[in-house]
Amino acid sequence: MDKRPEDTRVVIGMSGGVDSSVAALLLKEQGYDVIGVFMKNWDEEDENGVCPAEEDYEDVRRVCAQIGIPYYIVNFEKQYWDRVFTYFLNEYKAGHTPNPDVMCNKEIKFKEFLNHALKLDADYLATGHYAQVEKSEGEYKLIKGVDNNKDQSYFLCMLNQRQLSKTLFPLGHLEKSKVREIAKEAGLATAEKKDSTGVCFIGERDFKEFLTNYIPAQKGEIRNRKGEVLGKHDGVMYYTIGQRRGLGISGHEPYFVIDKDAKENILYVGQGAEHELLFSHGLVALEPHWTSGNEPKFPLKCTAKFRYRQPDQEVVVYKNSNDELLVTFAKKQRAITPGQFAVFYQGNICLGGAVIDKPIKSKEEVNRIINELNQ
Ligand SMILES: Nc1ncnc2c1ncn2[C@@H]1O[C@H](COP(=O)(O)OP(=O)(O)OP(=O)(O)O)[C@@H](O)[C@H]1O
């Protein structure tokens, strides 16, 4: 950083949660010219007539006043609807399990919001994400947050060099417990506020009920792989691969979702948490993105996560001429889910990610595709 902190303007995304509150406090203590901005991306009251965004903004107001920074609100409801929510619905309609957090970072926080911050003459955009950016060898590297339990680099896998060069993550080197402690010591209004969980626009509401408001539910059959009908489902979109709950069929061992056929509206299940068809030896992923801006050399030996918080798994990544990735696993993986992201790491560095298109269940199929690629 060339400029002195007092000459460096930082716009911090304030959600009304404890993390962004502490991030703002730390920046202010470091002497930056800090502006707190709350994004309103969703306009809806819950069943009690309470608008959660208004309550959150109230917390932003209180914390910014305590810290002594200016604050205001921007509205990206339309952009959020067009680029995150529409994607979310379309993925469910296609039988996938989308990740709106990844899309929100890509399309809203680090695009619309970043551009907004730059228009305010900001040098940087900061957020309370648990991740780090380091510049080395002329490249901005996205690094995991040091708190292994909270690391959010998974959700940031679609960021590019420009975005990383303009981003500060003041909490990346801290444990979450320390962040709470700082908030309490400073007496911040959000110090005891509960962490948000789940999809932000759904909040504490019932997921099924929420989705039904937007996508008509279509009843259909639950089958096993032999094609036998075992029961009825109330809409394939309500289920995800590996799910046990809510199937409503009993047996000497519990049933799990092993596959979804959205076109035919069939849910496939298998018996037992370790059912063979829940596992795969590889996957195909689409639209790869690399945070460095440069494609790595294939085959790429690295690690990967296929869902948030999963421990790193050893993989080898291949690419075909259609820009599709084949990811092969050192150890078979359970419940690989189309629509989620495969996110690649070299040690603590997040290399990028790609959307999971489909699992490859058998080792033979994986080997056949590798052979084809080698020809
Ligand atoms: N509505 C919002 N307006 C502005 N910035 C936001 C908003 N929502 C999230 N952010 C920014 O993105 C970061 C990560 O968002 P996420 O939803 O994962 O929050 P979190 O980990 O629960 O953090 P927090 O405790 O700050 O809510 C936040 O710390 C904040 O900087």
Side-chain angles (χ1 to χ4, degrees), residues 12-21 37-41 109 113 126-130 150 152 176 195-196:
I12 164 104
M14 298 286 285
S15 63
V18 66
D19 292 334
S20 45
S21 302
V37 181
F38 176 77
M39 288 185 292
K40 188 158 185 275
N41 295 334
K109 286 183 189 150
F113 193 46
T127 66
H129 282 106
Y130 288 81
K150 282 296 292 183
Q152 288 175 309
K176 174 82 189 200
D195 285 348
S196 52

Side-chain angles (χ1 to χ4, degrees), residues 120-131:
L120 295 174
D121 275 338
D123 297 284
Y124 295 97
L125 171 69
T127 66
H129 282 106
Y130 288 81

Side-chain angles (χ1 to χ4, degrees), residues 300-334:
L300 168 70
K301 214 167 171 289
C302 62
T303 61
K305 294 181 196 291
F306 309 111
R307 63 183 70 84
Y308 177 48
R309 281 212 169 121
Q310 182 188 25
D312 291 351
Q313 305 296 314
E314 277 176 46
V315 298
V316 180
V317 185
Y318 301 78
K319 199 189 88 164
N320 71 15
S321 51
N322 293 331
D323 212 25
E324 294 172 355
L325 300 183
L326 166 70
V327 183
T328 64
F329 313 148
K331 265 198 334 216
K332 65 180 180 177
Q333 298 290 315
R334 189 177 184 277

Side-chain angles (χ1 to χ4, degrees), residues 66-179:
Q66 285 183 301
I67 301 174
I69 59 172
Y71 56 89
Y72 67 99
I73 187 165
V74 293
N75 192 309
F76 292 128
E77 279 167 41
K78 177 161 173 22
Q79 294 89 331
Y80 193 88
W81 184 280
D82 289 348
R83 293 192 230 146
V84 181
F85 194 58
T86 304
Y87 143 84
F88 173 86
L89 293 182
N90 287 342
E91 284 289 275
Y92 272 113
K93 283 181 201 158
H96 299 163
T97 304
N99 194 314
D101 289 325
V102 172
M103 202 51 78
C104 177
N105 284 331
K106 177 175 185 237
E107 294 291 336
I108 307 296
K109 286 183 189 150
F110 295 91
K111 194 179 272 178
E112 293 297 330
F113 193 46
L114 173 60
N115 290 338
H116 181 80
L118 296 178
K119 277 192 212 139
L120 295 174
D121 275 338
D123 297 284
Y124 295 97
L125 171 69
T127 66
H129 282 106
Y130 288 81
Q132 306 178 78
V133 181
E134 265 175 39
K135 192 176 180 190
S136 66
E137 295 150 3
E139 188 188 308
Y140 292 90
K141 297 199 162 115
L142 175 61
I143 314 272
K144 289 179 186 173
V146 299
D147 186 336
N148 221 352
N149 228 343
K150 282 296 292 183
D151 166 43
Q152 288 175 309
S153 56
Y154 181 90
F155 298 121
L156 299 163
C157 65
M158 290 287 138
L159 298 197
N160 61 29
Q161 284 292 292
R162 176 180 171 270
Q163 293 162 322
L164 291 172
S165 75
K166 306 247 174 255
T167 297
L168 299 179
F169 295 128
L171 306 187
H173 63 293
L174 295 174
E175 300 278 336
K176 174 82 189 200
S177 53
K178 180 74 188 163
V179 170

Side-chain angles (χ1 to χ4, degrees), residues 176-195:
K176 174 82 189 200
S177 53
K178 180 74 188 163
V179 170
R180 281 262 176 219
E181 208 181 293
I182 295 173
K184 280 182 200 158
E185 267 172 26
L188 295 183
T190 50
E192 309 278 354
K193 192 165 168 178
K194 236 176 71 200
D195 285 348

